[in-house]
Amino acid sequence: MAVPAALTEDQIYHRCPPEKLDFDTTDALEDLELPFGQDRVLRALEFGASMAASGFNLFVLGPSGAGKHELVKRFLATHAAGKPVPSDWCHVFNFQQSDKPGAIELPPGEGRKFKSDMNDLANELKTAIPATFESEEYQARIQELQEEVTRRQQKGLFAIQEEANANNIAMITTPAGFTFAPMRNGEVIEPEEYKKFSDEEKELVEAKVEDLQKKLQQAIQQVPRLRKEVRERIHQLNEEMVQLTLGGPIGELREKWSHVPAVVAHLDSVREDVVEHAEAFQDNENGAPAGLLNRYRVNLLVDNAETRGAPVVYEDLPNHQHLTGQIEHRAHQGNLYTDFTLIRAGSLHRANGGYLILDARRILTQPLAWESLKRILFSGEIRIESLERLYGLATTVSQQPEPIPLNVKVVLVGDRMLYYLLSHYDPDFLDLFKVEADFEDDLDRDDQSYPLYARVIATMARSSGIRALDRAAVARVIEHASRLASDQKKLTAHDRVLKDLLSEADHWASQAGSARVEVVHVQQAIDEREYRASRIRERSLEQIRRGVMMIATEGEQAAQINGLSVLQIGATRFGQPTRITATARPGKGQVVDIEREAKLGGPIHSKAVMILSRFLANRYAPMGELSLSASLAFEQSYGGVEGDSASVAETCVLLSAITGVPLKQSLAVTGSMNQHGEVQAVGGVNEKIEGFFNVCTQARGVNGHGALLPASNVEHLMLNEQVRDAVREGRFTIYPLSHIDQAIELMTGMEAGVPDADGVCPENTFNRLVADRLAEFAEVGKKKGDGKENGNGGNGNGNNSDD
């Protein structure tokens, strides 16, 4: 198989031609209203935001840093602008059940007016009703009632006194009440004289006195009834006076709010309650108690007076109270109390009639918030309840506001893993969130996309308040966007990374005193970001330079090869070569993966080694048993090994161990392989190649070194300037592989050899050498087997003996 041609500089880096950008600076470009390349998300958002059926809430999923929140907010703000403004909602005192405040729906903007009107009414009641009770008319009528009672009381007593006088008995007033005594000629008879009366006279006097006492007792017993009657008449008078006082203001309010029947009904309840508590307003010094007046005020829960279109609310702390609202308490004389005026709206109230945006991860980490949200969405109403009462942790009496009907579209924003986990484990999730809006990770890069992506950059620059970028700087940002996407034909869609890069470039432009961001400032920002994250990478290179980590970059060595790997720590990724070694001897077709045996190899790596062993058996022993006992190891690797990107290198080093043919240490290899020997794409090729390049540079310089990678990875190359310079000057070579035989020829310098119709490879080829060597292994294994069969203490016929 022919050795592939080395890649050229143009193949390992896709430049952005400045002539494709028709502007001098980004100031000349218009903002891009809709996100570039996110058509699928926009269609999903449009559908979900417009769909009125129940359960069609949205989950916007995508990678972190893709600008999901900003896009959703911007889209919904535009979409909601044409929607009607939702109603205002108020809580009012419930005069029938004081612990269950009522809810009143009002046209948008009228909640403030209603609250103001009721405040004015309460203030008017505070002054107008006491003034009514102080009026001359009221005082005159009260005096008339009191005089009437006095007259009626005196009339009964006067009749008794007249009767007593007619019978010569005097009715005398004492501190203890009334008493009777006999009288003669208008004078009360002294006790000594009374004793001289005959028994008959005494009996007549005492009988009459007893009769008068009974009549007096009856008259006195009428006094409480008369007082009760007076109180009732005073109460009726109070009600009459209050009715007259309320007639004007409440009548005006009833007429003003006649278009809202719930308000009219509440005003009627207020009038009845004021009349019922009329006496409470008679305190001349303090006026009506504040607690009584507060009953007539309004708690404006949702105020949409300033809202334009449907509301779009983002809740950054989506716990139970912030979502559903809460009932606050106040301390008074060491006690906590609450009333309907202390009910506070949640984000679901504020977003009612519009859209509520929530971060999926945050709501899932708040205790019971996710269950509360699902319960509200299923019930279709917002019920304000404390967690203690909801879950039976407290039984104290509190407010139980009337629930408010819910009409809201909830938009969850999160990463893909959360969406898939919720879909799998939460049976309610797909019933409530039926619209999936999936962000693109990368955007297409072609001639048509350059102007649009330049407008994206211009929009970011203006929104961040940074300097304009010139054409060359924009071209460099586009190239770096391809590097971030690890693809020459793609551009990253991660807004956060690009915004950070532009901000840093603006900082360096400011340091340099430049009026605009130029390519040198963009490059400095890239270099500085890389340097800040390079401590671990530099320590790794130092370990290789000092020989602590053994990596050979010169000469040839059998059963040893430089594999390429990528290390990721946090957000930092860098490549590092790893020495892979192999051993081979006759055996029973077993390839031992030392990493797996040591429990350091992951399942994908173990699968790759199994594929490798089957490839060897199929290629070199198709009709028989592969006589091989081999081992593979990643030297000085003390962490986990995962992935199949080393299977090409492992195959080469194992074949080298079998044949004894040395491999070039100036070349490093990456690539996955299938059972047919075809080389497959892997990830992180830019970091891997640059990592080996750095190791070679710090050793004896780059001169004749190179890297082998899958041909299908060529379009993923966006290598840095140092590597490109070395490739252009011929000091560093990169070869694309499509088959394992190409890797063998490059690493050994021998022709791989193509088998003929009988499956035999030509003489002096590598594959023929492998086949011959394995045949020798098989012959050795056969001899050992024969020796065990015939030389195991038995006779020539193979019969065992017990002697």
Side-chain angles (χ1 to χ4, degrees):
M1 182 172 289
V3 174
L7 298 178
T8 64
E9 182 184 6
D10 291 339
Q11 290 177 293
I12 64 174
Y13 192 82
H14 186 187
R15 295 186 180 278
C16 175
E19 58 270 14
K20 298 292 184 182
L21 304 175
D22 188 18
F23 59 88
D24 291 328
T25 70
T26 52
D27 281 341
L29 300 177
E30 296 180 358
D31 284 349
L32 196 64
E33 295 298 329
L34 294 176
F36 165 52
Q38 298 291 356
D39 297 337
R40 181 180 289 102
V41 169
L42 292 174
R43 286 184 62 177
L45 288 174
E46 180 66 37
F47 170 74
S50 305
M51 184 67 177
S54 175
F56 282 85
N57 298 294
L58 296 100
F59 193 110
V60 180
L61 57 151
S64 151
K68 302 185 293 296
H69 281 276
E70 185 177 347
L71 170 61
V72 169
K73 288 180 184 178
R74 191 166 71 245
F75 174 85
L76 290 180
T78 303
H79 182 84
K83 299 287 184 179
V85 180
S87 302
D88 291 349
W89 283 93
C90 300
H91 274 310
V92 295
F93 187 79
N94 186 337
F95 297 101
Q96 282 70 44
Q97 293 177 291
S98 61
D99 62 336
K100 295 182 179 179
I104 295 181
E105 182 180 8
L106 296 165
E110 295 194 6
R112 290 183 181 180
K113 299 175 183 178
F114 181 47
K115 179 178 181 179
S116 176
D117 287 347
M118 294 306 292
N119 284 340
D120 292 344
L121 176 64
N123 293 332
E124 186 172 354
L125 293 177
K126 185 176 182 180
T127 56
I129 294 180
T132 299
F133 290 133
E134 294 172 4
S135 65
E136 293 182 1
E137 178 186 0
Y138 178 77
Q139 296 298 330
R141 295 184 64 175
I142 287 292
Q143 185 176 357
E144 181 182 340
L145 285 173
Q146 292 173 345
E147 290 175 353
E148 181 181 350
V149 171
T150 302
R151 285 196 304 271
R152 292 176 65 179
Q153 288 179 354
Q154 290 177 350
K155 182 179 179 181
L157 294 175
F158 182 75
I160 295 172
Q161 188 175 14
E162 288 291 325
E163 184 178 350
N165 290 336
N167 290 279
N168 290 321
I169 296 175
M171 188 170 72
I172 304 171
T173 303
T174 69
F178 296 98
T179 186
F180 294 96
M183 183 175 64
R184 178 179 293 170
N185 299 324
E187 297 291 336
V188 177
I189 299 174
E190 296 294 333
E192 293 297 328
E193 187 177 353
Y194 179 70
K195 291 179 181 179
K196 297 177 182 180
F197 279 24
S198 65
D199 292 339
E200 184 178 350
E201 288 177 328
K202 288 180 180 178
E203 287 180 4
L204 289 173
V205 170
E206 290 174 359
K208 192 60 182 177
V209 167
E210 183 178 356
D211 181 54
L212 289 172
Q213 285 179 336
K214 287 181 180 178
K215 291 182 179 180
L216 178 62
Q217 184 69 26
Q218 291 176 353
I220 292 174
Q221 287 176 349
Q222 294 297 318
V223 172
R225 184 183 63 79
L226 288 174
R227 290 177 179 174
K228 180 181 179 183
E229 181 181 338
V230 169
R231 284 198 302 270
E232 290 176 353
R233 293 180 65 179
I234 290 175
H235 182 67
Q236 292 174 357
L237 174 62
N238 290 341
E239 290 184 352
E240 180 183 344
M241 298 301 292
V242 170
Q243 289 275 23
L244 290 173
T245 305
L246 292 178
I250 287 190
E252 292 175 3
L253 289 178
R254 288 182 90 261
E255 183 177 354
K256 178 180 180 180
W257 293 99
S258 60
H259 62 289
V260 185
V263 172
V264 174
H266 178 67
L267 289 171
D268 291 341
S269 298
V270 169
R271 178 171 56 191
E272 294 173 5
D273 190 72
V274 173
V275 169
E276 183 178 347
H277 296 86
E279 287 79 0
F281 290 86
Q282 288 182 305
D283 188 345
N284 295 331
E285 294 183 3
N286 302 318
L292 181 61
L293 290 174
N294 282 340
R295 294 159 61 137
Y296 311 135
R297 302 186 189 276
V298 168
N299 180 8
L300 181 55
L301 199 68
V302 180
D303 181 10
N304 284 313
E306 307 295 335
T307 305
R308 299 294 177 266
V312 178
V313 176
Y314 171 65
E315 179 56 67
D316 63 344
L317 182 58
N319 58 27
H320 170 82
Q321 292 85 354
H322 290 177
L323 286 174
T324 65
Q326 58 187 323
I327 302 170
E328 295 179 348
H329 292 74
R330 287 180 180 164
H332 179 68
Q333 295 181 349
N335 296 317
L336 292 177
Y337 76 95
T338 186
D339 58 31
F340 77 100
T341 63
L342 296 177
I343 299 171
R344 300 292 178 255
S347 52
L348 282 166
H349 293 93
R350 295 191 299 273
N352 203 8
Y355 305 92
L356 176 62
I357 305 171
L358 300 173
D359 185 281
R361 182 184 58 82
R362 291 183 181 178
I363 189 173
L364 289 170
T365 56
Q366 293 295 327
L368 304 174
W370 176 244
E371 292 301 322
S372 296
L373 176 65
K374 291 194 299 179
R375 177 174 53 84
I376 289 171
L377 290 178
F378 274 125
S379 66
E381 62 182 20
I382 314 170
R383 188 181 298 274
I384 303 177
E385 289 183 297
S386 67
L387 285 175
E388 295 85 354
R389 184 181 181 87
L390 188 62
Y391 292 95
L393 302 178
T395 57
T396 54
V397 176
S398 183
Q399 299 288 298
Q400 300 177 52
E402 180 182 352
I404 292 176
L406 178 70
N407 177 26
V408 72
K409 188 74 69 173
V410 177
V411 182
L412 286 181
V413 181
D415 59 40
R416 294 188 176 93
M417 184 57 67
L418 272 180
Y419 177 81
Y420 300 140
L421 287 173
L422 286 169
S423 300
H424 184 71
Y425 288 108
D426 191 334
D428 301 326
F429 177 68
L430 293 179
D431 290 335
L432 293 173
F433 294 89
K434 299 180 180 181
V435 182
E436 170 189 359
D438 197 353
F439 259 74
E440 294 287 352
D441 290 346
D442 305 314
L443 312 174
D444 291 335
R445 176 183 176 182
D446 50 34
D447 289 349
Q448 288 73 34
S449 67
Y450 286 142
L452 290 172
Y453 207 76
R455 288 178 62 190
V456 170
I457 295 170
T459 304
M460 287 183 183
R462 270 192 286 271
S463 65
S464 301
I466 66 176
R467 293 168 174 77
L469 287 76
D470 65 18
R471 183 189 310 178
V474 171
R476 183 66 187 93
V477 172
I478 290 175
E479 292 170 1
H480 188 64
S482 273
R483 167 64 184 244
L484 293 174
S486 298
D487 197 325
Q488 295 179 0
K489 298 180 179 179
K490 296 289 183 179
L491 298 166
T492 184
H494 289 212
D495 285 7
R496 185 181 64 197
V497 179
L498 288 179
K499 284 183 178 178
D500 292 346
L501 176 64
L502 295 178
S503 296
E504 292 185 34
D506 178 69
H507 169 76
W508 296 118
S510 174
Q511 294 290 310
S514 176
R516 59 187 181 183
V517 177
E518 300 174 356
V519 65
V520 63
H521 306 131
V522 174
Q523 187 60 50
Q524 185 175 3
I526 295 171
D527 294 342
E528 289 287 340
R529 288 169 67 90
E530 184 176 349
Y531 175 74
R532 291 197 300 270
S534 65
R535 185 188 66 84
I536 297 176
R537 183 190 66 189
E538 290 182 358
R539 295 292 82 79
S540 174
L541 287 172
E542 180 185 358
Q543 296 291 311
I544 295 173
R545 184 178 68 252
R546 296 171 60 186
V548 178
M549 290 288 293
M550 299 171 63
I551 300 292
T553 59
E554 302 290 340
E556 297 181 350
Q557 182 72 38
Q560 175 180 304
I561 195 170
N562 290 323
L564 296 177
S565 60
V566 172
L567 300 181
Q568 178 150 358
I569 303 173
T572 303
R573 280 165 51 102
F574 63 92
Q576 176 178 286
T578 301
R579 176 178 288 184
I580 304 174
T581 60
T583 63
R585 63 186 182 84
K588 295 183 178 180
Q590 181 184 19
V591 177
V592 175
D593 178 11
I594 293 178
E595 308 301 324
R596 180 182 63 191
E597 297 299 320
K599 294 183 171 56
L600 292 176
I604 298 176
H605 178 261
S606 299
K607 175 185 175 183
V609 175
M610 293 176 189
I611 290 174
L612 181 159
S613 62
R614 291 303 88 199
F615 165 75
L616 293 179
N618 182 64
R619 169 173 271 203
Y620 299 109
M623 303 302 293
E625 184 177 349
L626 179 65
S627 179
L628 177 66
S629 177
S631 64
L632 290 165
F634 284 68
E635 302 295 349
Q636 294 183 286
S637 171
Y638 307 109
V641 175
E642 181 60 312
D644 61 354
S645 63
S647 54
V648 170
E650 289 173 324
T651 303
C652 290
V653 75
L654 185 54
L655 293 176
S656 172
I658 293 171
T659 60
V661 174
L663 301 175
K664 297 176 181 177
Q665 302 301 298
S666 58
L667 297 177
V669 185
T670 185
S672 170
M673 187 188 74
N674 62 25
Q675 293 187 95
H676 301 296
E678 297 169 329
V679 179
Q680 304 166 144
V682 294
V685 288
N686 291 294
E687 291 83 0
K688 290 176 178 178
I689 293 174
E690 290 170 0
F692 183 65
F693 179 86
N694 292 335
V695 170
C696 297
T697 300
Q698 76 169 7
R700 296 185 180 179
V702 178
N703 188 14
H705 296 83
L708 284 59
L709 81 162
S712 51
N713 276 128
V714 171
E715 62 184 18
H716 300 144
L717 292 176
M718 288 293 292
L719 294 167
N720 62 31
E721 187 175 2
Q722 291 79 12
V723 178
R724 298 200 305 271
D725 290 344
V727 168
R728 183 176 62 252
E729 295 166 5
R731 295 182 291 112
F732 194 81
T733 311
I734 301 173
Y735 296 99
L737 304 176
S738 57
H739 196 273
I740 187 64
D741 286 342
Q742 294 175 329
I744 289 170
E745 293 186 3
L746 288 167
M747 295 300 299
T748 64
M750 294 181 62
E751 182 183 350
V754 179
D756 57 18
D758 298 326
V760 179
C761 294
E763 292 283 347
N764 300 322
T765 62
F766 185 83
N767 285 331
R768 177 62 177 271
L769 189 58
V770 174
D772 292 346
R773 185 65 171 166
L774 289 174
E776 293 176 13
F777 284 1
E779 190 66 28
V780 171
K782 185 177 180 183
K783 288 180 180 179
K784 286 184 178 180
D786 290 343
K788 287 181 181 179
E789 182 179 351
N790 297 322
N792 199 20
N795 57 28
N797 295 325
N799 295 322
N800 292 332
S801 172
D802 293 333
D803 295 338

